[in-house]
């Protein structure tokens, strides 16, 4: 048994990052079996699930939508907030019943919750029917874990080590139009509220040439868009200690000529002028930046360990707006951080009024075991926090709609991704500024970038019509 350890996970030593090539275990015993995979959390987890699917299908399995019909059940979990935990344990209850009826079903728990010692202990003690637990550093070993489970072994395979960089991953991508591309793993920022540096290990970048090769190959396969992924993309290359930075990578990726490039997430700290220039300079780097604010109060930002002040955030924001024509900026905000006063909260609202964000994800602070903020004195009652969240969301939605309304009657390029969920006579896609548009257009447009005239603006989406060009 190999329990994860949050104290160990906190350590960052000078240990060299290992660059490895995947060598997946193969066995034919899973041929024709069905797997059910449920993913929680962020884009990083979505993309990790694409790796898990790649491994499962390499073993000859195919996906199934129904838990009840599955031979293998995997949950790829998230640990960012308490409700993420609750959802997984709720689901485990359902799986328990299933296991009673069909003991042969193999159940595995992966993702960020697997990196938390208390969770692994709880699974081990209270949910002994779970066949294996595997961490975010052990996805490539999924094949071995399944083979062991078939032989009746129970495994807990979670490293608290700093991490490796694996190449040659077999992804089964969810889309044939847009693709995620990992550029940097882990996080070294240790914002005081956040569990991610513990669950994902040390910041380590993939080699620039490997990323460019992956994008090139995606382009050749016909992909229209890549999203470069990292908890903090502008930390890219720092670990090489040779002066490489995110702007170098972004430029190299732009030069592949893939039609659209996006990236998430950018930290406001260390976002260099050159990064802004490259975004402005290349037409295929989309004018859209997700720039988490977290709080507009400098004293709360300090307690959060965010490394910027309210003024520095605003300065960066204005610079981006000025230098990148038509840029859309979205953000993340936490309310009710320990010690947040009404005045602090007003500072957050003040930044929202100034920046008029295109959109925001807003959260109530959730204490995460093992993080410094979980131990800070927090005497704001929950109803006050809820009321702040409500007031904040009202302003966020107001500006989101206002920004959407600016597009009314304009013709904008939209990459069409599929048939609209709500109305099967329509298709949906995203503008270069990452706004969702439902479009009256034929299914033949899926996979293309088409001109769309915006006819209606709501808070969270737009409606539009395909402007067929006269050629
Ligand atoms: N790397 C990204 C964030 C990843 S987590 C960044 O630095 O911006 C996504 C968002 O979840 C964070 O931006 C933050 O707003 C929120 N979050 C993280 N930990 C949280 C916690 N303990 N309670 C509430 N929200 C949290
Ligand atoms: Fe968490 Fe901060 Fe790292 Fe983002 S930068 S993942 S919020 S520690
Ligand atoms: Fe959740 Fe892990 Fe992402 S904690 S938000 S899945 S990095």
């Amino acid at each position: 048994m190999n329990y994860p350890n949050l104290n160990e996970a906190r350590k960052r030593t000078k240990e060299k990052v290992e660059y490895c090539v995947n060598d997946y275990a193969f066995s034919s015993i899973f041929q024709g079996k069905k797997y059910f995979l449920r993913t929680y959390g962020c884009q990083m987890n979505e993309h990790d699930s694409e790796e898990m699917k790649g491994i499962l299908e390499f073993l000859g399995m195919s996906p199934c939508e129904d838990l009840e019909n599955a031979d293998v059940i995997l949950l790829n979990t998230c640990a960012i907030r308490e409700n993420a935990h609750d959802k997984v344990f709720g689901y485990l209850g359902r799986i328990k019943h299933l296991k009673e009826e069909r003991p042969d079903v193999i159940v595995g728990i992966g993702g960020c919750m697997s990196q938390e010692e208390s969770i692994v202990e709880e699974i081990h003690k209270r949910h002994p029917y779970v066949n294996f637990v595997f961490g975010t550093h052990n996805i490539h070993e999924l094949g071995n874990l399944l083979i062991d489970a078939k032989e009746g072994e129970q495994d807990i395979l979670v490293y608290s080590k700093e991490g490796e960089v694996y190449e040659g991953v077999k992804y089964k991508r969810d889309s044939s139009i847009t693709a995620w591309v990992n550029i940097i793993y882990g996080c070294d920022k240790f914002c005081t509220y956040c569990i991610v540096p513990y669950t994902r290990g040390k910041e380590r970048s993939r080699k620039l040439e490997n990323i460019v090769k992956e994008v090139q190959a995606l382009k050749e396969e016909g992909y229209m868009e890549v999203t470069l992924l990292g908890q903090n993309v502008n930390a890219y290359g720092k670990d090489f200690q040779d002066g490489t930075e995110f702007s170098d990578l972004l430029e190299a990726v732009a030069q592949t000529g893939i039609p659209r490039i996006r990236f998430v997430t950018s930290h406001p700290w260390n976002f260099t002028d050159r990064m802004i220039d490259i975004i402005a300079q290349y037409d295929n780097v989309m004018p859209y930046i997700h720039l988490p604010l977290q709080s507009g109060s400098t004293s709360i930002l300090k307690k959060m360990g965010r490394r910027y002040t309210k003024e520095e955030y605003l300065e960066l924001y204005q610079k981006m707006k000025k230098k990148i024509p038509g840029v859309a900026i979205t953000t993340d905000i936490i309310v009710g951080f320990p010690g947040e006063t009404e005045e602090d909260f007003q500072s957050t609202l003040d930044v929202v009024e100034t920046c008029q964000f295109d959109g925001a994800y807003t959260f109530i602070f959730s204490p995460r075991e093992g993080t410094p903020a979980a131990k800070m004195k927090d005497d704001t009652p929950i109803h006050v926090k809820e009321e702040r969240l409500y007031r904040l969301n009202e302003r966020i939605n107001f500006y989101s709609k206002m920004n959407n309304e600016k597009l009314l009657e304009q013709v904008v390029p939209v990459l069409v991704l599929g048939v609209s969920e709500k109305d099967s006579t329509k298709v949906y896609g995203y503008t270069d500024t990452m706004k969702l548009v439902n479009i009256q257009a034929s299914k033949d447009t899926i996979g293309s970038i088409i001109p769309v005239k915006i006819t209606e603006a709501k808070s969270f989406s737009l409606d539009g019509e395909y402007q067929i060009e006269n050629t």
Side-chain angles (χ1 to χ4, degrees):
M1 291 297 163
N2 200 344
Y3 269 49
N5 180 319
L6 286 180
N7 277 331
E8 284 296 311
R10 182 193 300 272
K11 289 184 192 153
R12 294 291 187 265
T13 65
K14 293 267 177 268
E15 194 182 296
K16 274 235 155 30
V17 168
E18 271 181 67
Y19 294 89
C20 320
V21 177
N22 277 297
D23 183 14
Y24 293 116
F26 182 75
S27 159
S28 55
I29 50 180
F30 294 97
Q31 199 69 41
K33 302 277 185 213
K34 299 263 180 233
Y35 73 85
F36 174 94
L37 168 60
R38 198 175 167 111
T39 310
Y40 301 85
C42 64
Q43 295 96 334
M44 222 79 48
N45 254 20
E46 294 284 344
H47 191 37
D48 284 351
S49 282
E50 292 184 331
E51 178 175 358
M52 293 178 197
K53 288 177 208 168
I55 297 172
L56 295 162
E57 298 194 14
F58 174 68
L59 291 173
M61 287 188 239
S62 57
C64 73
E65 300 287 318
D66 235 342
L67 192 66
E68 277 69 25
N69 297 330
D71 302 295
V72 171
I73 299 172
L74 295 181
L75 301 184
N76 188 8
T77 65
C78 168
I80 201 86
R81 285 170 291 273
E82 194 58 40
N83 59 358
H85 275 183
D86 296 347
K87 279 189 214 154
V88 169
F89 280 110
Y91 220 76
L92 274 177
R94 271 182 72 187
I95 294 175
K96 186 176 177 214
H97 289 298
L98 201 77
K99 236 350 219 200
E100 280 161 5
E101 284 164 30
R102 292 172 50 213
D104 284 354
V105 176
I106 296 176
V107 180
I109 312 287
C112 285
M113 273 172 70
S114 304
Q115 295 290 144
E116 295 180 280
E117 53 199 290
S118 61
I119 299 293
V120 175
E121 253 180 70
E122 186 171 346
I123 293 175
H124 196 47
K125 289 198 186 113
R126 303 228 171 90
H127 304 273
Y129 55 88
V130 169
N131 297 78
F132 58 90
V133 177
F134 62 118
T136 55
H137 304 285
N138 306 88
I139 300 172
H140 58 281
E141 290 172 89
L142 180 58
N144 279 325
L145 289 165
L146 285 162
I147 296 163
D148 282 359
K150 202 75 177 164
E151 287 165 4
E153 282 179 43
Q154 199 196 29
D155 276 326
I156 292 184
L157 188 62
V158 187
Y159 297 150
S160 299
K161 60 195 236 176
E162 302 191 343
E164 295 135 338
V165 170
Y166 274 88
E167 292 297 337
V169 180
K170 288 183 198 304
Y171 294 111
K172 171 73 177 33
R173 297 185 189 270
D174 292 334
S175 163
S176 52
I177 305 166
T178 62
W180 309 111
V181 175
N182 281 327
I183 64 164
I184 178 169
Y185 300 96
C187 181
D188 284 350
K189 294 291 164 291
F190 287 98
C191 301
T192 57
Y193 50 82
C194 187
I195 195 76
V196 172
Y198 307 84
T199 64
R200 294 268 167 180
K202 134 171 157 176
E203 269 174 9
R204 52 212 191 274
S205 306
R206 278 180 76 196
K207 294 268 158 61
L208 190 141
E209 59 271 24
N210 290 333
I211 299 168
V212 171
K213 253 190 242 158
E214 185 176 341
V215 174
Q216 195 72 51
L218 287 163
K219 184 186 167 215
E220 277 156 26
E221 275 178 61
Y223 277 85
M224 296 293 285
E225 178 178 296
V226 290
T227 301
L228 309 179
L229 274 185
Q231 285 301 345
N232 179 9
V233 290
N234 49 1
Y236 177 79
K238 289 203 188 310
D239 48 329
F240 301 152
Q241 295 182 336
D242 63 355
T244 305
E245 67 154 41
F246 179 57
S247 59
D248 301 317
L249 174 71
L250 199 54
E251 181 157 42
V253 171
Q255 285 168 352
T256 63
I258 190 141
R260 283 185 165 196
I261 299 155
R262 301 186 184 282
F263 51 89
V264 276
T265 299
S266 314
H267 194 295
W269 184 73
N270 242 343
F271 204 107
T272 64
D273 286 354
R274 180 150 191 271
M275 291 176 199
I276 299 178
D277 292 342
I278 296 289
I279 300 167
Q281 186 185 331
Y282 286 90
D283 287 345
N284 57 347
V285 179
M286 295 295 98
Y288 166 71
I289 301 170
H290 185 62
L291 192 71
L293 167 68
Q294 312 301 3
S295 169
S297 152
T298 296
S299 77
I300 294 294
L301 285 169
K302 193 150 191 253
K303 286 190 193 162
M304 288 176 160
R306 288 291 289 180
R307 311 173 193 210
Y308 53 86
T309 62
K310 172 186 184 181
E311 290 69 30
E312 283 164 349
Y313 184 94
L314 288 173
E315 195 188 319
L316 174 64
Y317 187 95
Q318 304 301 0
K319 210 188 300 178
M320 287 171 170
K321 282 278 177 189
K322 203 167 127 213
K323 285 194 169 175
I324 310 167
V327 70
I329 301 180
T330 56
T331 198
D332 290 349
I333 296 172
I334 298 175
V335 300
F337 186 81
E340 183 190 70
T341 62
E342 176 61 26
E343 199 188 332
D344 292 318
F345 177 64
Q346 285 298 334
S347 287
T348 299
L349 286 182
D350 187 44
V351 176
V352 170
E353 298 301 326
T354 308
C355 293
Q356 310 188 342
F357 293 107
D358 287 88
Y361 295 103
T362 56
F363 312 100
I364 291 182
F365 167 73
S366 175
R368 309 313 301 132
E369 194 185 323
T371 63
K375 294 189 208 87
M376 292 180 192
K377 188 161 173 268
D378 185 4
D379 44 21
T380 311
I382 183 70
H383 73 268
V384 173
K385 296 188 182 193
E386 281 166 355
E387 190 250 353
R388 283 182 194 159
L389 182 69
Y390 182 84
R391 279 151 70 202
L392 175 64
N393 283 343
E394 220 174 16
R395 299 314 293 156
I396 293 291
N397 294 347
F398 173 83
Y399 285 117
S400 171
K401 184 150 193 241
M402 186 192 89
N403 284 308
N404 281 349
E405 279 168 353
K406 286 186 196 155
L407 292 179
L408 277 174
E409 301 303 317
Q410 284 193 37
V411 177
V412 292
V414 176
L415 172 59
V416 183
L417 296 184
V419 175
S420 198
E421 262 178 36
K422 285 190 195 138
D423 181 346
S424 61
T425 66
K426 290 185 173 180
V427 294
Y428 78 94
Y430 288 88
T431 64
D432 50 0
T433 51
M434 198 63 185
K435 293 180 192 293
L436 172 63
V437 195
N438 288 298
I439 313 150
Q440 203 69 58
S442 103
K443 292 182 183 57
D444 299 344
T445 58
I446 294 173
S448 316
I449 297 172
I450 59 167
V452 174
K453 184 172 177 185
I454 303 302
T455 53
E456 200 179 330
K458 306 169 194 162
S459 273
F460 305 109
S461 68
L462 303 160
D463 287 340
E465 284 163 9
Y466 180 17
Q467 294 293 288
I468 299 167
E469 286 151 298
N470 299 317
T471 44

